[in-house]
């Protein structure tokens, strides 16, 4: 009996995706992040979460889009039930990541072979993976790009991706004179 369990454990160990060297390549942070590349609007195409609760929450919304301004403002627009909710945060990019203080989350940009995508990994303050989102300038991506995202989720032992319906409308751009999006005042 003991021998069987020991072998089963060994087998599980060898199946652990995070130990797979291919996974190290698949979930590598971007080496460099050019804030200019982030400019403009990106729509979420798919997400992968570690808990069914988050998956369900992600599944229910109609659409979500994000935008970056000057590498210092991170805005989100969530559409559900024909209404839009906008959230803005001031961020400070540190290499390929930034801290999302309100939620105790660190967001890291990961490499992706999709040319017009952003892949965002969310970790909690213990640096443990929580969820990951694939954004694109397009509303849906090629099958091979989705396959890569699925493999990346597997590497992080995350749940299978939830793909958003590309036919659902997205929120219009937020009014740019919103007080919260005003650039930081210079403080010397
Ligand atoms: C969506 O909005 C409609 C009309 O405002 C409302 O009747 C319905 O309950 C809402 N559905 C959800 C899921 O909030
Ligand atoms: C963030 O972490 C602090 C300190 O651990 C805690 O007090 C706070 O409630 C956390 N905030 C959220 C949104 O989880
Ligand atoms: C981070 O997430 C892991 C697993 O999801 C959890 O066990 C841990 O308590 C979390 N840490 C914090 C600081 O929230
Ligand atoms: C862009 O960010 C830099 C600091 O990173 C700041 O000095 C500059 O004023 C910002 N420009 C705008 C238009 O917000
Ligand atoms: C962003 O920074 C500006 C200037 O410091 C501030 O007025 C604004 O309230 C901040 N926005 C958020 C969402 O924290």
């Amino acid at each position: 009996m003991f021998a069987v369990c020991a072998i089963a454990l060994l087998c599980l160990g060898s199946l652990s995706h995070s130990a797979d060297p291919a996974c190290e390549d698949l979930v590598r942070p971007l080496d460099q992040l050019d804030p200019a590349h982030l400019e403009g609007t990106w729509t979420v195409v798919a997400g992968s979460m570690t808990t069914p609760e988050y998956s369900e929450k992600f599944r229910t919304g109609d659409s979500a889009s994000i935008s970056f301004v000057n590498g210092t403002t991170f805005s989100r627009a969530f559409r559900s039930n024909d209404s839009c909710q906008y959230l803005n945060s001031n961020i400070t990019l540190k290499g390929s990541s930034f801290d999302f203080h309100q939620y105790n989350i660190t967001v890291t940009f990961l490499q992706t072979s999709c040319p017009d995508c952003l892949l965002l990994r969310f970790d909690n303050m213990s640096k443990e993976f929580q969820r990951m989102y694939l954004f694109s300038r397009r509303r849906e991506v090629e099958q091979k790009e989705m396959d890569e995202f699925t493999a990346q989720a597997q590497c992080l032992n995350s749940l299978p991706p939830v793909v958003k319906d590309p036919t659902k409308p997205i929120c219009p751009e937020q009014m740019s004179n919103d007080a919260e999006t005003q650039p930081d005042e210079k403080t010397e």
Side-chain angles (χ1 to χ4, degrees), residues 12-161:
L12 278 177
S14 68
L15 281 175
S16 167
H17 294 290
S18 44
D20 185 341
C23 279
E24 274 178 42
D25 279 343
L26 273 172
V27 296
R28 254 203 334 254
L30 286 181
D31 298 327
Q32 273 181 322
L33 185 64
D34 176 6
H37 172 70
L38 298 178
E39 289 290 308
T41 302
W42 307 82
T43 307
V44 74
V45 171
S48 170
M49 293 78 197
T50 47
T51 68
E53 290 77 19
Y54 268 115
S55 283
E56 204 39 49
K57 209 175 145 199
F58 179 68
R59 197 187 303 276
T60 51
D62 286 343
S63 69
S65 45
I66 59 170
S67 62
F68 293 90
V69 178
N70 194 29
T72 56
T73 307
F74 175 45
S75 305
R76 287 88 71 208
F78 302 98
R79 187 181 179 106
S80 71
N81 202 21
D82 288 331
S83 76
C84 286
Q85 188 193 8
Y86 295 95
L87 296 168
N88 300 306
S89 303
N90 293 326
I91 59 165
T92 305
L93 287 171
K94 289 182 291 186
S96 56
S97 54
F98 62 88
D99 289 332
F100 207 177
H101 296 290
Q102 295 108 302
Y103 306 104
N104 289 344
I105 288 283
T106 301
V107 180
T108 305
F109 295 86
L110 298 186
Q111 301 205 359
T112 166
S113 65
C114 170
D116 67 350
C117 293
L118 289 181
L119 181 56
L120 268 58
R121 168 187 175 147
F122 285 46
D123 290 326
N124 71 7
M125 286 301 158
S126 322
K127 303 237 182 291
E128 293 202 62
F129 173 79
Q130 307 291 306
R131 48 196 184 272
M132 180 165 72
Y133 302 97
L134 183 67
F135 293 89
S136 177
R137 301 291 193 192
R138 288 167 287 160
R139 293 299 307 277
E140 55 190 322
V141 297
E142 304 286 329
Q143 187 59 48
K144 68 172 168 33
E145 293 161 341
M146 191 51 65
D147 290 346
E148 182 185 32
F149 183 63
T150 303
Q152 287 164 322
Q154 269 171 8
C155 285
L156 293 164
N157 294 317
S158 193
L159 295 172

